[in-house]
Amino acid sequence: MRVIAKGILRDFWSKHADSEQALKSWYLEAGKSVWKHPNDIKMEYPSASILANDRVVFNIKGNHYRLIVKMNYKYQMVWIRFIGTHAEYDKINAENI
């Protein structure tokens, strides 16, 4: 998968240093993955939540943070749409962000 935009993750871990290793690991794992369907993600990340509008929510650092991505399975692309704490996550509509 091609992950767009690592800068969003970098900005986040500069403010939340405890998330850096987990986000770097996710980024590397996602970059090596070939996800053709949501079930492919669930096999690798059983705790991921598959949402409408091709959104997927990943729990980061033992569920301390939430990462929302928009998937394009056909073109093997992942767009980072949101990374934040649970409190920040609760204030957004994950299916439309």
Side-chain angles (χ1 to χ4, degrees), residues 2-6 8-9 12 23 26-27 30 35 41 47-60 63-73 77-97:
R2 183 169 177 218
V3 181
I4 316 281
K6 186 177 182 181
I8 294 169
L9 300 179
F12 187 80
L23 288 171
W26 178 88
Y27 181 84
W35 296 323
I41 296 170
S47 66
S49 298
I50 309 300
L51 306 178
N53 298 324
D54 295 319
R55 302 302 198 272
V56 179
V57 179
F58 293 93
N59 298 314
I60 302 296
N63 207 18
H64 283 85
Y65 302 106
R66 296 277 175 96
L67 171 65
I68 302 173
V69 301
K70 180 174 179 159
M71 303 297 300
N72 186 314
Y73 299 101
M77 298 182 81
V78 178
W79 283 274
I80 297 169
R81 304 297 297 153
F82 171 85
I83 177 71
T85 64
H86 276 278
E88 293 165 336
Y89 175 83
D90 289 341
K91 294 178 184 176
I92 63 163
N93 182 338
E95 292 179 354
N96 292 320
I97 194 161

Side-chain angles (χ1 to χ4, degrees), residues 8-24:
I8 294 169
L9 300 179
R10 201 175 303 118
D11 290 346
F12 187 80
W13 78 55
S14 72
K15 296 173 187 162
H16 303 272
D18 64 328
S19 70
E20 183 174 0
Q21 269 317 115
L23 288 171
K24 284 181 176 178

Side-chain angles (χ1 to χ4, degrees), residues 25-26 29-30 33 35 40-48 58:
S25 293
W26 178 88
E29 291 168 8
S33 296
W35 296 323
D40 296 338
I41 296 170
K42 290 296 279 183
M43 287 177 58
E44 197 169 335
Y45 292 95
S47 66
F58 293 93

